[in-house]
Amino acid sequence: MPSTRVKSRCTLHILIVDDDVNHGRSVKDVLAAHNYPADVATSGREGLTRLRDAHTADQPYQVLILDLHIPDLMGVDILRAIQEDGLTVKTVVLSGESDLSSVAPILKLGAYDYLRKPFQVPELITSVANALSSFQLEQENKAMQQEADSNARLYQFLLNASPDLIYM
């Protein structure tokens, strides 16, 4: 009987989108120190292009660390585009916003987590680890559902093709 454990096809992909080059680099360094390699995009358009290209190449980013206030394309607009495009990335939003009323719309747009700047390193690492785990579980669930659907189609084919054998 084949194993139901699904192996991950994806290599670890994390993208940081932050127009502040130094802040983006420091987040990348923090992640690297915890064995989470990451890429950095310094504009919203570059970040969205990278997300789309990686998805098209079947090597999607698993986690996006997104600054909300990016001059060329606001973080909220990136979240909307992710939703519209059906991208499966888990988004951790970093922002200096202290008003909690601005957090609710971000979460409604599909953000996985929200961290305030300046963030605490353990808080960021925990959020990224949880987002990666959630992404992997969703992918495994999707693969198992596809396998179950395939098995159901095969069973239905066998049932229709040779009903006498099934009921013996």
Side-chain angles (χ1 to χ4, degrees):
M1 180 168 197
S3 170
T4 57
R5 182 165 172 78
V6 179
K7 294 180 182 171
S8 175
R9 299 176 321 158
C10 300
T11 57
L12 186 63
H13 275 105
I14 298 173
L15 178 62
I16 302 160
V17 179
D18 196 328
D19 62 312
D20 181 342
V21 176
N22 291 329
H23 189 264
R25 188 176 302 130
S26 70
V27 172
K28 179 179 178 169
D29 292 344
V30 165
L31 293 173
H34 290 85
N35 297 318
Y36 293 121
D39 298 326
V40 179
T42 57
S43 74
R45 294 191 195 292
E46 177 191 358
L48 193 53
T49 298
R50 283 185 176 204
L51 285 169
R52 288 173 172 156
D53 290 349
H55 182 79
T56 301
D58 203 25
Q59 290 295 316
Y61 282 100
Q62 297 159 326
V63 175
L64 168 64
I65 299 174
L66 178 63
D67 181 17
L68 270 187
H69 299 288
I70 304 170
D72 71 322
L73 190 62
M74 294 297 286
V76 171
D77 297 323
I78 294 172
L79 286 169
R80 276 193 196 99
I82 288 169
Q83 227 179 23
E84 290 169 4
D85 292 353
L87 304 179
T88 57
V89 67
K90 296 293 179 188
T91 305
V92 176
V93 174
L94 295 179
S95 178
E97 294 281 329
S98 58
D99 182 18
L100 290 179
S101 66
S102 65
V103 176
I106 293 163
L107 296 175
K108 285 181 182 176
L109 285 171
Y112 178 80
D113 201 359
Y114 176 89
L115 302 176
R116 284 192 56 213
K117 289 181 183 177
F119 61 87
Q120 298 295 316
V121 171
E123 188 178 40
L124 176 65
I125 297 305
T126 298
S127 183
V128 168
N130 289 342
L132 284 168
S133 179
S134 177
F135 180 91
Q136 289 173 324
L137 286 172
E138 285 179 11
Q139 295 304 305
E140 289 174 3
N141 187 13
K142 187 177 179 181
M144 286 189 285
Q145 184 62 48
Q146 289 172 345
E147 185 178 340
D149 291 345
S150 176
N151 289 341
R153 285 191 301 276
L154 176 60
Y155 175 78
Q156 191 62 43
F157 169 77
L158 290 173
L159 182 66
N160 292 337
S162 53
D164 293 337
L165 291 175
I166 300 293
Y167 295 109
M168 287 184 145

